[in-house]
Amino acid sequence: MAYPLPLYYQEEDTITRDLEYLQQMYPAEAKRYQKIIVDILNTMDYEGSCIYDEYPDKWQLYKLTQAVMDRIKSMDTEEPREGIEEFVQVLLYYEIYKKRHANHRGILKF
């Protein structure tokens, strides 16, 4: 194959579309939590942020999870269900992963 680069970008495009499609199928509650997480991570999207550390500090990620939970609790009239914090933590780590591996065009680098 003389020019493999275009196929590489075509494969990345397919992966990104697949990821976006699957995220559209999240349950409504997960979508709501994901939006909150993305909003908080967008405020932390700067050079030197702890989300871009080679080995993010577990305590900082815990505090970030607590910030997300505080926002969720302030938006909800009832107390979140048991186990939601762990679910939010998984979503948070995944969104951090996506931010860490995205390039300037928004395509994930695998």
Side-chain angles (χ1 to χ4, degrees):
M1 180 181 271
Y3 302 102
L5 201 52
L7 292 177
Y8 175 75
Y9 289 118
Q10 184 179 12
E11 183 177 320
E12 276 189 352
D13 187 44
T14 303
I15 291 169
T16 303
R17 279 185 287 137
D18 191 35
L19 176 65
E20 289 171 354
Y21 174 73
L22 291 172
Q23 284 180 329
Q24 289 175 0
M25 293 176 25
Y26 279 3
E29 194 173 14
K31 284 182 188 178
R32 195 167 52 102
Y33 295 159
Q34 183 186 23
K35 287 179 185 176
I36 294 169
I37 290 168
V38 168
D39 287 343
I40 290 175
L41 287 180
N42 284 340
T43 65
M44 301 186 72
D45 194 8
Y46 55 87
E47 191 174 332
S49 174
C50 68
I51 64 173
Y52 295 113
D53 288 346
E54 185 176 358
Y55 298 102
D57 181 46
K58 191 171 185 170
W59 178 251
Q60 290 291 333
L61 294 178
Y62 173 77
K63 288 181 64 151
L64 198 51
T65 302
Q66 293 307 309
V68 173
M69 290 303 298
D70 290 344
R71 176 95 56 97
I72 289 170
K73 288 176 184 175
S74 72
M75 293 176 70
D76 287 344
T77 55
E78 58 187 45
E79 190 70 20
R81 291 183 280 154
E82 191 175 322
I84 291 296
E85 187 170 338
E86 288 83 10
F87 176 68
V88 165
Q89 200 168 18
V90 170
L91 280 176
L92 174 67
Y93 293 168
Y94 181 68
E95 291 299 325
I96 290 173
Y97 174 82
K98 283 178 23 183
K99 276 206 175 289
R100 289 169 60 113
H101 292 279
N103 65 16
H104 298 292
R105 294 177 315 191
I107 297 175
L108 294 178
K109 293 187 287 185
F110 292 98

